[in-house]
Amino acid sequence: MPALPSCLLEPLWDQFAALLPARGEFAAGHPLGCHRRRIDDRTVFEHVMLALVHGSGYERISTPGCSDRTIRRRVKEWAEQGIAERVHALALEAYDRMIGLGLDEISVDGCITKAPSGGEKAGRSPVDRGKLGLKRSVASDACGVPLGIVSDGANRHDSPLLEPTLEATKEQVGALPETVTVNLDCGYDSAKSRAVIGESGFTAEIARKGLPAPIQAGKRWVVERTHSWMNNYGKLRRSTERSGKVVDLYLYLAATLVTLRMLIRRSTKRFRWDGRPTTRRLK
């Protein structure tokens, strides 16, 4: 049973496979000139998708044709190559070309999830009795498409993550428009956040501390919805990865799937193509 519908899995794999370096069927540097056949990248990729969607350990999703050690080695290799970030950038490019990104309104917010295994991106969570947690800071466009992602410990405040999140957004989508409004909640109500926005040449809509949130929700609710979509993936709700690069790999894979899902949903009302999904729910 595939973890994702084919309308999401196949386009993701096509772009992912195109970025993988060419590898032979056998290890070229083996001293005897032969070795066990290398597990196919597609097989490992499907196991990685299972881990992302269900959040299961590699031992639980391993099969006789793909061991947990193979999954760990390949995930580490892909994370060091930065393939997930490049695939996400390609998905954003396709979305911008077919639908159009709303870059004039950007919303940024953080989300805290569990990280019981610790690691490079784990910290004491202030909302979970000091247990280890992970914070991700996400920037989204006017419709909630995830643009840039930064991960850090759960004990890190949102405000210092604003600048690296905007920088990650520029790396993923390129140059931003001259007039950009950044929508933020009251956690960014500080002189440092306003200085970062001013140095970037943007304008800011920041909620004031002490006022009820529903009254001043504004346009930043879309990034909270994006966090909800990303929390549908078990690997993000409960991260067990200790390597910071592997954590970012799964974050950007989830962001790519969110982008592809939004692209398909909005394209079905504008375009026709063979194999167009008929269901309105793409899980």
Side-chain angles (χ1 to χ4, degrees), residues 16 48 75 78-79 84-85 244-254:
F16 197 93
V48 172
V75 165
W78 293 343
E85 290 86 342
K245 292 184 178 180
V246 175
V247 170
D248 292 339
L249 169 78
Y250 282 110
L251 288 175
Y252 274 102
L253 284 178

Side-chain angles (χ1 to χ4, degrees), residues 88-106:
H88 178 241
L90 292 174
L92 291 176
E93 181 182 352
Y95 187 96
D96 191 27
R97 184 173 61 253
M98 299 179 66
I99 306 298
L101 291 169
L103 298 178
D104 54 337
E105 294 283 347
I106 294 179

Side-chain angles (χ1 to χ4, degrees), residues 92 95-107 139-147 169 173 175-177 179-183 219 222 262 266 270:
L92 291 176
Y95 187 96
D96 191 27
R97 184 173 61 253
M98 299 179 66
I99 306 298
L101 291 169
L103 298 178
D104 54 337
E105 294 283 347
I106 294 179
S107 301
S140 69
D141 77 335
C143 293
V145 179
L147 304 175
T169 300
V173 302
L176 296 175
T179 57
V180 176
T181 302
V182 183
N183 302 282
K219 300 178 181 179
V222 292
M262 295 184 67
R266 302 190 69 180
R270 304 187 184 189

Side-chain angles (χ1 to χ4, degrees), residues 2-16:
L4 296 169
S6 59
C7 61
L8 290 176
L9 184 63
E10 294 304 326
L12 176 59
W13 165 247
D14 290 341
Q15 297 298 328
F16 197 93

Side-chain angles (χ1 to χ4, degrees), residues 11 36 43 48 58 73 95-96 105 119 133 150 177 204 222 224 244 255-256:
R36 292 180 301 174
T43 302
V48 172
Y58 298 138
R73 286 195 299 267
Y95 187 96
D96 191 27
E105 294 283 347
V150 172
V222 292
E224 298 176 359
T256 304

